[in-house]
Amino acid sequence: MNSEGLESKRSAKSRRGPLLAAGALLCAAGALAFIAFGRLGDNLIYYWSPSEMLAHGASAYGPTIRLGGLVKPGSMHWSPSHAELRFVLVDGESASAASIDVLTSKTPPQMFREGIGVVVEGTFDISKTFRTERLMVNHGNEYRPPRNDAEFKDMLKRAGNPEAMR
Amino acid sequence: MGHTTVGYALVLFGLACAAFAGTVGLAGGLLRNRNVTRAVRWAIYGFSLALILSNLVMVHALLTHDFSVKYVAQVGSRATPTIFTIVSLWSALEGSILFWGAILGFYLGIFALRYRNEHQRYTTLTLGMMGVVATFFAVLIAGPANPWVHLANPPIDGPGPNPLLQNHILMIVHPPMLYLGYVGMVVPFAMASAALLRGELGDAWLEPLRRWTLVPWMFLSVGIILGGWWAYAVLGWGGYWSWDPVENASLMPWLTATAYLHSTMVLERRKSLKLWTIALVLACFLLTIIGTFMTRSGVFNSVHSFTQSDIGPTFLVFIAMILAFSIALLSLRGSLLVAESRVQSMLSREASILFNNLLLTALTFVVLLGTLYPLITEGLLDKKLTVGEPYFNQMAVPLVLGLLFLMGVGPSLPWGSADPKAAARRLMLPTALAVGGAIAGAAMGMRGFMPVLAVALAMFAATVSLRALSQPARERMRKNGDSILQALLHTARHARQRTGAHIIHLAIVIIVVAVAASRTLQIHETRTLQPGEVVALGNMQLRFDGLSTGREPHRSWISADVTLTHADGARTVHKAGAGPRMNFYERSTDPIGTPLVESELFRDVYVSMLAFDKTTGSASFNLWIFPLVGWLWYAIPFVVLGSLISLWPRRRKVAAPVPEASASASP
């Protein structure tokens, strides 16, 4: 190795360099991991459906939660000045689905309306009202094609297709 | 018969070619048998041709509405405008993987053609590695993600592509750009693996490796910015980046590729950081495959729904294989890539690049951790979690600011070892302007330490880059009496890499300033207005003139007619569909909005309609003024220009038409 010639010319101090550098690097990596995991812990948000959240009982009071479900048709009510919006979030379309009252002072996004799938981020408390300042409409970046033949037939039927009518 | 048969036969032919290129290429390359190179190259050509043709057949099937092809029945519709019919090629999973194959074919074909007579030492192995990757994707297209399924009873019409994708023209350019970025990383991966398999990395291979990484890097950069632009122009929440897994998936390979493009300078100049640089190339490819997996397998809806997707497991196996292969290769052959020199001083160009690499790697780790953590907890602990945006912002902002600082310091330091006094002298002007930038930012109303620091560091880096770009030209003007244009062209021609790099640095500075200004100086208002009512927004006013409706072949819409009155009294009227609106697609239950964005050079007025009431004629709006936000997208030409200048081939000495330019190319 031609680097050996150079190496011998260097003082003992510079030979300790790489070791020091490796140590410093390890420390930096450790510090980064420590900070990253710390911040991560502070910013974790539970992702639940209304029924899952209700199943957690009193332990759901307090922490930041992302609640995903459908806006129940006929449940949207604006306060007179349009300052606050109330609606009911449900698991699914069936009548027995778990439901949660949601209250927000933020204006929802442009696609928000009754019957749509939404995700709200906020907190739940003993008053059984979910308060949120962040409403997101579920939008896939990618269009999901039907997964199986039943879904596919269903889609074709909605498109008025003769094959699916058979 | 027809499209399905031809399209599928082409995929199978491509698979055979890829498998041949993979096995023969690797075997021949490892046995150092150059006689097979020709056959391997032709197999690569065969793969390219087959996949590109298969895509053209699909486009034809889409255009002729051949609903006997299941994919066409899923995404096609007679009512969809032609342009969006072509775009539906990549609007769902199967088609997008097929499109992946075509772009892969495109890259591999060009690579094989370009190096048919050069770099014989590495080409057989490189083509072999490309064959292996191509085999994987051909298997994916032929099996789990097969778009060529035949329907015995074709429907008369289909549902059309996802409305969200056909709602904006940007969806036509954004995905191909991103794909060109993702798929292109196959080339440097194959090149680097070939060097490792061979156990040598000669100087001659470094430049092609850099250029073949810069090309996909450019497309990836453009693709990421266009993605942000699309979100801004369609989704109506006024933002462009939300640390969504899909966004993160594109950012991570970009970060490692950027790190590589810097560390390769140290490798090319100082012959050190060899192993590290190669590891970055391998990591970059791995991250693009992980990214494709994350965006295409549906794994982010839920780990549990992912088992229903056919491509997920195949992808996981492939990811594990690449990871094992990369680690094995690096540990077995890494000892052959011995650094020939060491970083001598902390005050040097190479040291600053080293720090740049550490910060970029740290940022990649931070993003990877935040993106994958929910998957890990759900998979292992069955807990559904998401990682909040604040995590990403808190972690990323300091790292980005550190990178900005290095962007100014690095180019100001010489290679080897710097004289501290000279370095301080060089950084005096940038520092002064940085202080000026901070004061200007605060005076314009910026509050908070981080945004003001961001503007200061942006000024710091911008000054260094502008000086680096202008200084040689100014000297030339003084010495030779050239005009500004001549002098600039001359320096751009004779220091292509440096010129290109500084132009790209300026683009990054522009993006940082645009993000800081649009986030901290925005004005926001939410209102419900009756027709004729006026709302003030900053120094301008918006008047709601009432609702209007209309029909287009593939959608109908409700639009708010609005009149904007600017500070100088000028009025702009947006009516009959030109205002903020909601689009209703026939086969979609959810309306897709189109916000009104009135772009000026230094600010955007952004109005999205939230709700409307047909009985009273009233409507609710979200209104914003975003300063400088447009500069996020105006940065694209800078990125492209800088990349192209760097990529422009050196003029061959014989072919120089201008006598002056025939002087030997200086670094």
Side-chain angles (χ1 to χ4, degrees):
Chain A
M1 291 284 134
N2 60 352
S3 62
E4 244 159 83
L6 281 169
E7 195 87 343
S8 62
K9 276 183 211 160
R10 277 188 221 144
S11 65
K13 190 184 157 196
S14 78
R15 220 173 294 166
R16 261 196 322 249
L19 213 65
L20 271 172
L25 203 63
L26 263 168
C27 286
L32 176 79
F34 180 75
I35 298 171
F37 274 101
R39 298 277 183 186
L40 195 66
D42 294 343
N43 288 297
L44 285 182
I45 301 163
Y46 294 95
Y47 200 141
W48 285 329
S49 66
S51 59
E52 281 170 328
M53 190 174 78
L54 290 177
H56 279 81
S59 69
Y61 303 153
T64 308
I65 295 163
R66 238 177 229 199
L67 197 60
L70 296 176
V71 180
K72 190 177 179 182
S75 73
M76 270 175 72
H77 289 291
W78 287 96
S79 68
S81 58
H82 263 239
E84 280 188 334
L85 172 67
R86 270 181 187 283
F87 58 91
V88 177
L89 204 64
V90 291
D91 269 354
E93 277 159 9
S94 76
S96 61
S99 63
I100 304 280
D101 291 326
V102 181
L103 176 67
T104 181
S105 58
K106 273 274 154 61
T107 311
Q110 61 186 359
M111 284 172 255
F112 190 90
R113 56 196 190 87
E114 292 179 344
I116 200 172
V118 295
V119 177
V120 292
E121 190 179 305
T123 51
F124 194 47
D125 58 36
I126 194 104
S127 71
K128 301 279 181 200
T129 299
F130 190 89
R131 281 165 216 279
T132 176
E133 296 299 304
R134 188 151 182 230
L135 300 104
M136 292 160 279
V137 171
N138 262 342
H139 66 83
N141 198 343
E142 194 218 352
Y143 168 70
R144 187 180 67 83
R147 283 194 207 283
N148 50 42
D149 281 356
E151 271 189 46
F152 186 53
K153 282 246 170 72
D154 181 54
M155 191 178 79
L156 292 179
K157 191 157 43 183
R158 269 185 282 141
N161 184 273
E163 189 193 25
M165 305 296 184
R166 272 177 217 150
Chain B
M1 268 307 280
H3 287 119
T4 341
T5 320
V6 177
Y8 196 65
L10 282 167
V11 172
L12 290 182
F13 178 71
L15 173 60
C17 287
F20 176 84
T23 45
V24 177
L26 282 187
L30 288 172
L31 298 170
R32 314 223 161 171
N33 177 355
R34 277 190 198 166
N35 299 329
V36 301
T37 313
R38 213 178 124 82
V40 173
R41 191 163 51 235
W42 278 97
I44 293 285
Y45 290 153
F47 170 82
S48 306
L49 203 66
L51 266 291
I52 291 169
L53 282 177
S54 190
N55 271 267
L56 290 179
V57 173
M58 182 57 90
V59 170
H60 189 261
L62 284 163
L63 285 175
T64 53
H65 302 294
D66 179 359
F67 294 113
S68 70
V69 181
K70 190 177 174 190
Y71 184 75
V72 179
Q74 279 176 7
V75 301
S77 149
R78 293 183 197 276
T80 309
T82 308
I83 184 72
F84 288 109
T85 299
I86 298 172
V87 169
S88 40
L89 174 63
W90 57 78
S91 73
L93 176 91
E94 289 85 356
S96 66
I97 300 279
L98 184 69
F99 187 52
W100 229 96
I103 293 181
L104 186 62
F106 179 69
Y107 268 112
L108 301 196
I110 289 181
F111 182 90
L113 191 67
R114 171 73 182 78
Y115 293 119
R116 63 191 181 283
N117 297 322
E118 287 172 61
H119 299 291
Q120 302 290 330
R121 191 179 283 268
Y122 303 103
T123 40
T124 318
L125 277 169
T126 308
L127 294 177
M129 283 307 298
M130 290 173 164
V132 172
V133 178
T135 306
F136 167 74
F137 277 96
V139 165
L140 208 58
I141 298 167
N146 181 13
W148 295 113
V149 176
H150 184 74
L151 284 183
N153 296 304
I156 40 167
D157 204 356
N162 184 350
L164 213 45
L165 302 188
Q166 51 173 319
N167 201 40
H168 201 281
I169 208 88
L170 276 173
M171 256 301 141
I172 299 168
V173 265
H174 159 63
M177 286 293 145
L178 215 50
Y179 278 38
L180 280 166
Y182 269 28
V183 183
M185 294 300 175
V186 171
V187 180
F189 169 73
M191 294 171 80
S193 313
L196 278 180
L197 283 171
R198 220 187 139 84
E200 59 179 316
L201 182 57
D203 293 354
W205 202 224
L206 295 177
E207 199 195 320
L209 184 58
R210 165 163 50 77
R211 299 168 73 90
W212 281 95
T213 314
L214 187 54
V215 172
W217 180 91
M218 174 180 78
F219 286 121
L220 192 56
S221 313
V222 173
I224 292 172
I225 303 175
L226 287 177
W229 194 0
W230 173 79
Y232 176 80
V234 171
L235 299 182
W237 48 283
Y240 37 79
W241 188 266
S242 60
W243 298 106
D244 181 270
V246 176
E247 295 165 349
N248 296 346
S250 63
L251 181 65
M252 288 187 284
W254 186 87
L255 291 171
T256 44
T258 308
Y260 158 78
L261 288 171
H262 288 90
S263 79
T264 189
M265 289 194 287
V266 181
L267 175 51
E268 285 174 53
R269 291 253 182 172
R270 314 289 296 183
K271 310 283 170 263
S272 58
L273 295 185
K274 271 192 188 177
L275 192 59
W276 170 256
T277 305
I278 293 303
L280 282 175
V281 176
L282 302 185
C284 187
F285 175 66
L286 186 65
L287 286 169
T288 61
I289 296 295
I290 292 178
T292 315
F293 162 70
M294 291 191 331
T295 48
R296 296 286 116 181
S297 69
V299 67
F300 270 97
N301 298 332
S302 164
V303 177
H304 303 300
S305 72
F306 142 77
T307 44
Q308 293 166 18
S309 151
D310 297 332
I311 66 156
T314 324
F315 254 104
L316 276 186
V317 169
F318 189 51
I319 289 171
M321 275 165 58
I322 302 169
L323 192 62
F325 171 77
S326 302
I327 292 173
L329 215 50
L330 286 173
S331 48
L332 290 177
R333 299 296 177 122
S335 57
L336 294 167
L337 301 177
V338 185
E340 289 160 39
S341 78
R342 287 226 178 88
V343 174
Q344 309 273 337
S345 153
M346 280 298 114
L347 209 57
S348 65
R349 180 79 58 89
E350 51 267 46
S352 70
I353 289 176
L354 193 64
F355 285 120
N356 146 298
N357 268 236
L358 292 178
L359 289 181
L360 283 169
T361 321
L363 194 50
T364 313
F365 168 76
V366 161
V367 178
L368 188 68
L369 179 69
T371 312
L372 293 186
Y373 194 77
L375 286 187
I376 298 166
T377 52
E378 196 188 342
L380 297 181
L381 309 169
D382 205 25
K383 260 192 195 168
K384 269 191 147 187
L385 291 169
T386 44
V387 176
E389 240 178 86
Y391 159 78
F392 291 103
N393 290 333
Q394 287 163 7
M395 292 303 296
V397 169
L399 292 171
V400 170
L401 294 187
L403 285 165
L404 263 184
F405 175 67
L406 290 175
M407 214 192 232
V409 172
S412 308
L413 296 174
W415 294 93
S417 164
D419 168 22
K421 274 184 192 156
R425 244 194 331 272
R426 278 197 73 73
L427 289 174
M428 221 129 79
L429 179 67
T431 310
L433 287 172
V435 173
I439 294 170
M444 285 173 81
M446 272 194 184
R447 293 293 169 262
F449 179 67
M450 288 299 184
V452 172
L453 185 62
V455 173
L457 289 171
M459 279 304 290
F460 182 69
T463 314
V464 170
S465 285
L466 285 173
R467 188 168 60 187
L469 287 173
S470 66
Q471 208 162 35
R474 277 210 313 268
E475 258 161 42
R476 210 184 146 74
M477 281 163 71
R478 207 175 48 231
K479 268 200 215 136
N480 297 18
D482 286 3
S483 71
I484 299 180
L485 201 67
Q486 273 175 320
L488 279 177
L489 273 176
H490 181 88
T491 45
R493 222 170 18 219
H494 283 259
R496 298 204 161 110
Q497 262 181 274
R498 193 181 57 206
T499 309
H502 281 292
I503 292 175
I504 293 172
H505 277 191
L506 286 175
I508 302 289
V509 163
I510 290 171
I511 288 172
V512 168
V513 173
V515 170
S518 66
R519 276 184 74 100
T520 57
L521 298 178
Q522 58 175 255
I523 300 170
H524 181 211
E525 193 73 56
T526 305
R527 279 297 174 81
T528 299
L529 301 175
Q530 301 297 327
E533 211 174 329
V534 174
V535 58
L537 184 69
N539 60 3
M540 55 188 308
Q541 286 180 327
L542 175 133
R543 192 181 72 212
F544 173 48
D545 301 326
L547 294 168
S548 60
T549 56
R551 268 203 77 80
E552 285 163 29
H554 60 309
R555 61 184 183 187
S556 55
W557 47 263
I558 290 187
S559 173
D561 296 342
V562 295
T563 305
L564 287 166
T565 310
H566 295 254
D568 57 3
R571 275 163 188 243
T572 44
V573 183
H574 303 273
K575 60 178 183 183
R581 70 188 210 176
M582 285 190 199
N583 304 295
F584 298 85
Y585 290 82
E586 211 167 298
R587 290 176 185 88
S588 163
T589 45
D590 306 334
I592 310 284
T594 304
L596 162 67
V597 183
E598 202 175 274
S599 289
E600 294 166 28
L601 195 53
F602 294 112
R603 69 172 197 187
D604 275 14
V605 181
Y606 189 106
V607 184
S608 69
M609 180 161 60
L610 299 162
F612 57 87
D613 189 335
K614 263 186 178 165
T615 47
T616 61
S618 68
S620 312
F621 299 93
N622 241 338
L623 308 107
W624 278 279
I625 290 179
F626 291 118
L628 297 184
V629 72
W631 285 88
L632 283 168
W633 358 115
Y634 307 155
I636 293 175
F638 289 88
V639 173
V640 173
L641 179 70
S643 305
L644 290 182
I645 289 177
S646 282
L647 283 170
W648 208 256
R650 282 217 186 104
R651 201 170 297 209
R652 312 261 155 133
K653 278 164 199 167
V654 259
V658 192
E660 181 198 37
S662 66
S664 70
S666 62

